Structure formats: C-alpha cells, structure tokens
Amino acid sequence: MDNSMELEAYKVELAREILMSDSRQLLDKVKMVLHGESSVNINTVKEDCVPYIPRTKSEVLDDLKEACEEARLIREGKAKGFSAEDLLNEL
C-alpha cells in the first residue's frame, strides 16, 4: 500500500474515532488543535477519550479494507471526500 492510501485510511479511521466520541471536551480540544489555537498536551486528551475497546484482527482488517475502498472511490471521483473542518462542523 502506498503512502497516500495509508494516509487516507488513517484519516478515515481518525474521523470515525472523532464521530464515536461522546466527550465534548475532547472534541473541543481537537477543534482547537486543528485551528492552531492551542498546543494540547496528549496526556490530557487521552484522559477524555472514549475507553479503548479491544478489537479482533479481522475487525481491524475489515475496517482498513473499507477505508481503502472509500479512499479509492474518492480518488477516482466516484465518491466525494470531506475536509476535517466539515467533519467537525457536523458535530
């Protein structure tokens, strides 16, 4: 997998994690970092995150395949991507 596909898959996974968060405090910190308004300490961000839920290897691979497919469709113009700003505005 080339670097651009890895980056797209990483962005999709990060977007999913943000969407799954129920912590307003965490989302506010993410927004501040994206807008360059703050240098957030990663340790304080981790405290606010949704607890880690162990996943099986096959679940992770399924998510990665789905993310890669989404990235491919976006690159081919068959699907529309969205910016991190748009994602945060939806929240």
Side-chain angles (χ1 to χ4, degrees):
M1 186 180 329
D2 65 18
N3 286 340
S4 63
M5 284 190 68
E6 288 177 15
L7 179 59
E8 289 302 314
Y10 183 71
K11 291 189 311 189
V12 169
E13 181 63 27
L14 181 57
R16 283 188 185 135
E17 288 181 30
I18 291 170
L19 288 170
M20 289 174 40
S21 175
D22 291 330
S23 170
R24 174 65 186 236
Q25 191 175 25
L26 172 66
L27 297 174
D28 287 343
K29 288 179 182 181
V30 169
K31 186 175 182 179
M32 289 174 65
V33 170
L34 287 173
H35 290 278
E37 299 170 4
S38 171
S39 57
V40 175
N41 180 335
I42 191 66
N43 293 324
T44 61
V45 172
K46 285 180 182 178
E47 292 170 6
D48 298 329
C49 292
V50 176
Y52 173 73
I53 300 169
R55 298 176 2 168
T56 65
K57 181 179 177 179
S58 70
E59 289 173 325
V60 172
L61 290 174
D62 287 344
D63 284 348
L64 185 57
K65 285 178 188 176
E66 183 180 333
C68 289
E69 178 64 16
E70 286 179 42
R72 182 186 64 78
L73 292 172
I74 292 168
R75 270 198 326 274
E76 292 176 356
K78 297 178 181 177
K80 185 175 186 268
F82 50 89
S83 68
E85 186 175 358
D86 290 341
L87 173 68
L88 288 174
N89 286 335
E90 283 187 31
L91 300 174

